[in-house]
Amino acid sequence: MPPSLEDNKATVLDFYEVGLNQRDFEAASKLIGPRYVQHNPLIADGIEGFRDFLGYLATEFPQLRAEVKSVFADGDYVIGHVHGIRVPGQRGTAIVDIFRLEDGKIVEHWDVMQPIPEDAANQNGMF
């Protein structure tokens, strides 16, 4: 049976935890398919591009945290609304990640990021 929407969401949530929060390449690589297409222009395609990205995060932002505020699934796509904090005490970044999965593995990724401003024109918050 193909993975359910809940299975796909669980895969992405695991990816955030082991990949981004723990920067555990071995664990995260098990969640990535044989071909990984990256649409963030700062990260190379493929598993090696992801490995290099994790190395960069571990060196430059060793206390980085990705706090998933909500996650949605539609077919093979999973969307995460995330509060990314590179350095504790900073406001951080509001992030929307879009993942495409095949056979329960992440095979493609897009993201958009917006710094959280000190002052906002409304009181709605970004999450």
Side-chain angles (χ1 to χ4, degrees):
M1 276 184 73
S4 69
L5 296 179
E6 292 305 313
D7 292 336
N8 285 344
K9 289 195 300 189
T11 295
V12 168
L13 289 170
D14 287 347
F15 182 77
Y16 280 116
E17 184 54 34
V18 298
L20 296 176
N21 290 335
Q22 297 176 22
R23 285 164 296 290
D24 181 343
F25 173 76
E26 293 305 319
S29 68
K30 294 175 183 167
L31 304 170
I32 296 174
R35 182 169 181 265
Y36 179 62
V37 178
Q38 177 59 253
H39 295 276
N40 181 317
L42 303 176
I43 305 170
D45 280 339
I47 197 75
E48 292 304 318
F50 180 68
R51 180 193 308 264
D52 292 346
F53 176 63
L54 285 188
Y56 164 77
L57 292 180
T59 300
E60 297 297 321
F61 304 104
Q63 296 181 327
L64 176 138
R65 293 291 301 163
E67 183 183 335
V68 179
K69 298 295 189 175
S70 53
V71 62
F72 309 92
D74 184 13
D76 292 333
Y77 291 87
V78 175
I79 301 164
H81 189 202
V82 179
H83 184 190
I85 301 173
R86 290 182 167 186
V87 176
Q90 291 183 347
R91 287 184 299 283
T93 304
I95 303 166
V96 174
D97 284 305
I98 304 169
F99 298 93
R100 187 172 67 82
L101 289 82
E102 283 180 2
D103 301 321
K105 303 284 186 178
I106 297 169
V107 296
E108 199 161 6
H109 171 255
W110 298 259
D111 59 14
V112 289
M113 297 180 264
Q114 183 177 16
I116 297 172
E118 186 172 332
D119 298 309
N122 60 61
Q123 299 299 311
N124 301 323
M126 297 183 74
F127 301 102

